[in-house]
Amino acid sequence: MALINLGIRHFRNLQPVDIEPAADLNIIIGENASGKTSVLEAIYFLGRATSFRTNRFDRILQKGQNSLAVYARLKSQKGQIVPFGVQKDAKTVKIRVNEQKVTKVSDLVANLPLQVIHPNSHQLLEEGPKFRRRFLDWGVFHVEQTFYPAWQRYQKALKQRNMALRKKSRKDYISIWDKELIDNALILDKLRKNYINDLQEILHHYIKPVLGDMDSCVEYQQGWQKDMDFPEALEKAIEKDMDRGYTTVGPQRADVKILVDGVLANERISRGQQKILVTGLLLAQAGLFNQKTNKKCILLIDDVAAELDEKNREALLSILINMDVQMFLTSIEKQTLSSVLDSAKSGKMFHVEHGVLSEVI
Ligand SMILES: Nc1ncnc2c1ncn2[C@@H]1O[C@H](COP(=O)(O)OP(=O)(O)OP(=O)(O)O)[C@@H](O)[C@H]1O
Ligand SMILES: [Mg+2]
């Protein structure tokens, strides 16, 4: 699937955008502060109803405007045309998918799988487990339909159990929620574990050209003591849970260790190599999505060449060019990407200047 039209209104500094992106590669060139990241942010907004740079609506809304909108037509794998639109003002968000009103953002996300790689994606290595869980769950959500309902049921039971713990309820009252918690934890755990195994299998393809012989791996951590099953871990933790007032074990504590030569990546490899690794991980996800669903996802890559030397840049671009995704790449520099455009199945170059986006013919 691919976006075949894209419209953007009142988003950051962008003047009304109406473009027809190419199905494979789209390159967006422009000077600093021209609006490149804003274009990617607007496409992301169309798929997630939020930004990857901020949670504040007033930041993305164009100065002096009351509401913003991003809309597009998507051509599905089967050739169907599906219109999408997200319109937002300070109070409400209106989402439409295929002429239908959508109230849950998860329905939007499921229909428009997109992934973004930007300079802050580095958080995946440096920040807490929340970022890696988000990475993991993006992958599982898009390839396993049973994941989201189980995740919702788990969150509901967890909330109830935590409330009981906070209120210092009796032990037998707290354990009322344990069955629901355990049933769904087992589903989530199995899906996440299988997903990481699959990801590990294809990871080398995306990383080897740039990390060479270094051995990189993703290691799943379930969120409770290794070699213990979840009911046992839950029972063992009850005193601690009662003391702390929340559930201290379970899928909500899962993590993915990202290792190079057996050491945490951010303690082992250079900054440039880390950027390559993070990019490789996210590309591997897009590749796995493609493999499992036979669909293309939309990949937004901001400042693709930044921080990379020529050799690594070439290696990365050669991986990108062979991916079956609809890609939007931004760069300050035209030269680096011109050759990539020639080798793409279909490609277009756009230029952005003071918020005006136009196709380079
Ligand atoms: N809400 C807003 N309304 C109007 N303009 C805004 C708003 N938010 C940001 N801007 C301006 O939009 C411009 C474009 O920002 P953007 O981050 O998209 O640039 P960029 O092309 O990605 O630059 P860089 O190459 O430095 O990353 C900036 O000058 C910024 O000040
Ligand atoms: Mg930018």
Side-chain angles (χ1 to χ4, degrees):
M1 61 180 128
L3 301 179
I4 52 169
N5 305 88
L6 173 69
I8 306 173
R9 297 290 182 273
H10 304 159
F11 201 101
R12 297 251 192 210
N13 74 328
L14 299 174
Q15 296 304 305
V17 168
D18 288 289
I19 57 166
E20 294 178 1
D24 296 287
L25 178 65
N26 297 279
I27 295 175
I28 300 162
I29 306 288
E31 291 177 354
N32 289 136
S34 55
K36 300 180 298 297
T37 305
S38 303
V39 175
L40 299 192
E41 198 180 18
I43 301 173
Y44 185 90
F45 185 80
L46 179 70
R48 305 271 183 103
T50 183
S51 157
F52 57 82
R53 286 204 280 193
T54 176
N55 290 324
R56 289 186 52 171
F57 172 65
D58 59 338
R59 294 286 188 265
I60 56 171
L61 177 68
Q62 191 158 87
K63 255 195 211 154
Q65 300 293 341
N66 297 318
S67 73
L68 61 80
V70 186
Y71 43 90
R73 290 195 309 148
L74 183 89
K75 192 170 181 183
S76 79
Q77 227 67 13
K78 291 180 192 147
Q80 285 165 318
I81 306 292
V82 184
F84 276 82
V86 182
Q87 192 189 352
K88 187 166 165 54
D89 59 31
K91 291 204 182 90
T92 54
V93 55
K94 288 183 193 143
I95 304 174
R96 293 187 78 85
V97 177
N98 209 7
E99 319 285 357
Q100 306 287 322
K101 226 172 160 178
V102 165
T103 49
K104 283 191 289 178
V105 174
S106 60
D107 288 335
L108 177 70
V109 176
N111 280 291
L112 196 65
L114 58 82
Q115 186 61 284
V116 62
I117 303 176
H118 52 83
N120 276 347
S121 299
H122 201 260
Q123 288 165 328
L124 200 59
L125 301 183
E126 279 179 342
E127 300 289 329
K130 185 176 82 185
F131 291 90
R132 289 179 293 279
R133 272 197 300 275
R134 206 180 284 163
F135 161 80
L136 168 63
D137 289 345
W138 181 92
V140 192
F141 174 87
H142 283 292
V143 297
E144 297 289 351
Q145 290 190 345
T146 50
F147 179 78
Y148 190 61
W151 187 85
Q152 276 182 310
R153 290 192 299 268
Y154 184 83
Q155 289 300 330
K156 206 166 153 192
L158 181 67
K159 211 169 143 193
Q160 301 285 359
R161 190 178 192 268
N162 283 346
M163 196 139 68
L165 285 164
R166 217 171 26 248
K167 286 186 184 161
K168 309 241 171 271
S169 308
R170 285 197 341 251
K171 225 187 247 185
D172 55 348
Y173 186 74
I174 295 164
S175 60
I176 290 175
W177 311 107
D178 288 4
K179 185 177 180 318
E180 181 75 350
L181 213 62
I182 290 166
D183 289 351
N184 290 294
L186 296 182
I187 299 173
L188 298 179
D189 181 48
K190 191 165 166 231
L191 294 174
R192 281 171 162 178
K193 196 182 290 169
N194 291 344
Y195 182 80
I196 289 294
N197 282 341
D198 292 345
L199 193 70
Q200 177 64 45
E201 259 178 44
I202 63 161
L203 189 59
H204 68 276
H205 169 76
Y206 297 90
I207 288 175
K208 201 169 173 58
V210 276
L211 286 191
D213 285 337
M214 272 194 265
D215 175 36
S216 50
C217 90
V218 279
E219 200 177 278
Y220 171 63
Q221 295 191 329
Q222 55 196 3
W224 60 91
Q225 206 179 309
K226 226 176 171 177
D227 307 326
M228 197 181 262
D229 63 21
F230 183 53
E232 207 182 330
L234 201 60
E235 202 181 309
K236 197 177 162 214
I238 184 69
E239 301 300 332
K240 192 171 160 193
D241 288 0
M242 291 176 79
D243 186 44
R244 303 247 177 114
Y246 63 89
T247 308
T248 58
V249 291
Q252 77 280 11
R253 303 294 291 265
D255 199 355
V256 180
K257 293 278 174 244
I258 302 167
L259 306 167
V260 174
D261 281 348
V263 181
L264 280 180
N266 55 331
E267 295 171 4
R268 173 73 176 81
I269 51 177
S270 79
R271 174 84 192 178
Q273 286 175 316
Q274 288 177 35
K275 182 175 163 154
I276 295 268
L277 178 61
V278 169
T279 306
L281 283 162
L282 291 160
L283 294 180
Q285 275 208 317
L288 191 58
F289 170 80
N290 190 227
Q291 216 178 73
K292 294 252 176 197
T293 63
N294 258 328
K295 291 185 206 160
K296 280 167 127 179
C297 76
I298 297 169
L299 202 57
L300 312 171
I301 309 187
D302 198 19
D303 241 339
V304 65
E307 287 185 73
L308 301 182
D309 61 29
E310 203 180 323
K311 190 174 125 268
N312 279 334
R313 202 156 57 205
E314 294 294 319
L316 177 63
L317 291 176
S318 72
I319 297 171
L320 289 180
I321 204 69
N322 288 311
M323 292 197 62
D324 202 10
V325 294
Q326 184 183 33
M327 203 157 5
F328 291 84
L329 297 181
T330 72
S331 178
I332 301 168
E333 206 210 345
K334 193 173 167 183
Q335 248 64 33
T336 325
L337 297 174
S338 294
S339 62
V340 187
L341 197 61
D342 295 336
S343 27
K345 257 191 278 173
S346 69
K348 285 186 181 180
M349 185 175 278
F350 298 89
H351 182 245
V352 56
E353 193 174 358
H354 301 304
V356 178
L357 182 71
S358 43
E359 191 181 335
V360 180
I361 312 224

